[in-house]
């Protein structure tokens, strides 16, 4: 009790504390490819549903082949919560794989987290598993697995098998006749009996660009 009536009581001790982490704005969702060309990909995503409205976005993408991370900052936010946002990424390479993630930016300039898995994109999906099936004196038959369609992926116009005589130093790589897209096997004629050859399968983009797909290109 206090020493005399009306004197204030004192409490001497330690105040308990607790902490919690919080993100003032939610993360964007539903990242998809809506269009693709030989050198660009258009992405769309949905703005956060709640929290503080983002002031902009950061697009982070990985060139899987080169293992190079590229970042686009200051993509402006448009509209209100849950609105669809869009951005086109240029200077991409045909047939190569990219992984995309998008992050919301607060008014302070800080970026939030994004726990969604990256979106994997191949602008022109390459075929897979090139293999020789039959060998004759002056030709070989090859087969491959056709490309698996991916969101925004573009189908090649056709294929070419390039072959090179490794027994002749400086021998050029010789293309076969165009092989229509939709086929997954072809004969490569005109080879020299007994010689060692390397084979490479190319996919031709709609622009005419040849994309190395399989083999010793």
């Amino acid at each position: 009790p206090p020493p005399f009536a009306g004197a204030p009581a004192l409490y001497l001790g330690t105040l308990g504390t607790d902490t919690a982490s919080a993100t003032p704005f939610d993360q964007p969702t539903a990242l998809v490819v809506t269009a693709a060309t030989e050198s660009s990909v258009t992405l769309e995503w949905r703005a956060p549903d709640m929290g503080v409205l983002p002031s902009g976005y950061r697009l982070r993408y990985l060139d899987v082949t080169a293992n190079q991370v590229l970042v686009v900052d200051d993509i402006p936010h448009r509209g209100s919560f849950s609105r669809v946002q869009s951005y086109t990424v240029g200077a991409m390479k045909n047939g190569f794989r990219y992984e995309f993630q998008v992050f919301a930016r607060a008014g302070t300039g800080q970026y939030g987290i994004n726990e969604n898995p990256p979106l994997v994109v191949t602008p022109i999906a390459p075929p897979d598993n090139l293999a020789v099936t039959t060998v004759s004196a002056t030709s070989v038959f090859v087969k491959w697995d056709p490309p698996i369609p991916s969101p925004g992926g573009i189908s090649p116009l056709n294929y070419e098998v390039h072959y090179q005589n490794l027994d002749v130093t400086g021998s050029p790589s010789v293309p076969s006749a165009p092989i229509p897209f939709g086929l997954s096997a072809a004969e490569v004629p005109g080879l020299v009996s007994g010689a060692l050859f390397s084979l490479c399968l190319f996919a031709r983009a709609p622009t005419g660009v040849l994309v190395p797909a399989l083999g010793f290109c």
Side-chain angles (χ1 to χ4, degrees):
F4 54 86
L10 298 178
Y11 173 77
L12 300 179
T14 302
L15 293 177
T17 60
D18 192 10
T19 60
S21 61
T23 302
F25 48 90
D26 202 0
Q27 59 191 10
T29 58
L31 179 62
V32 295
V33 173
T34 57
T37 71
E38 72 284 353
S39 60
S40 68
V41 169
T42 299
L43 304 168
E44 285 188 357
W45 62 91
R46 195 177 70 187
D49 296 328
M50 62 184 70
V52 177
L53 199 63
S55 62
Y57 299 91
R58 165 180 288 171
L59 181 65
R60 176 187 181 276
Y61 59 103
L62 169 68
D63 181 338
V64 176
T65 303
N67 195 29
Q68 180 182 13
V69 176
L70 303 169
V71 174
V72 180
D73 281 332
D74 301 323
I75 300 174
H77 170 81
R78 294 179 174 85
S80 59
F81 290 108
S82 304
R83 290 291 298 272
V84 172
Q85 311 293 308
S86 179
Y87 186 79
T88 298
V89 184
M92 306 190 73
K93 293 176 286 187
N94 285 333
F96 290 82
R97 292 171 64 84
Y98 295 86
E99 294 182 358
F100 291 93
Q101 282 185 303
V102 63
F103 304 85
R105 186 187 66 202
T108 60
Q110 294 179 320
Y111 288 90
I113 63 173
N114 189 334
E115 298 173 330
N116 298 311
L119 174 66
V120 179
V121 176
T122 303
I124 297 178
D128 200 7
N129 297 326
L130 177 65
V132 174
T133 57
T134 307
V135 177
S136 70
T138 58
S139 68
V140 296
F141 287 83
V142 295
K143 68 173 184 177
W144 57 89
D145 294 337
I148 299 174
S150 60
I154 297 176
S155 297
L157 290 179
N158 51 48
Y159 302 110
E160 287 183 9
V161 177
H162 289 213
Y163 56 94
Q164 183 179 17
N165 188 340
L166 299 181
D167 289 339
V168 179
T169 302
S171 176
S173 181
V174 180
S176 69
I179 304 164
F181 177 71
L183 297 182
S184 57
E187 180 185 11
V188 182
L191 305 183
V192 178
S193 180
L196 177 65
F197 284 86
S198 67
L199 300 173
C200 175
L201 181 64
F202 284 82
R204 184 175 296 278
T207 57
V209 176
L210 280 176
V211 181
L214 296 167
F216 298 95
C217 300

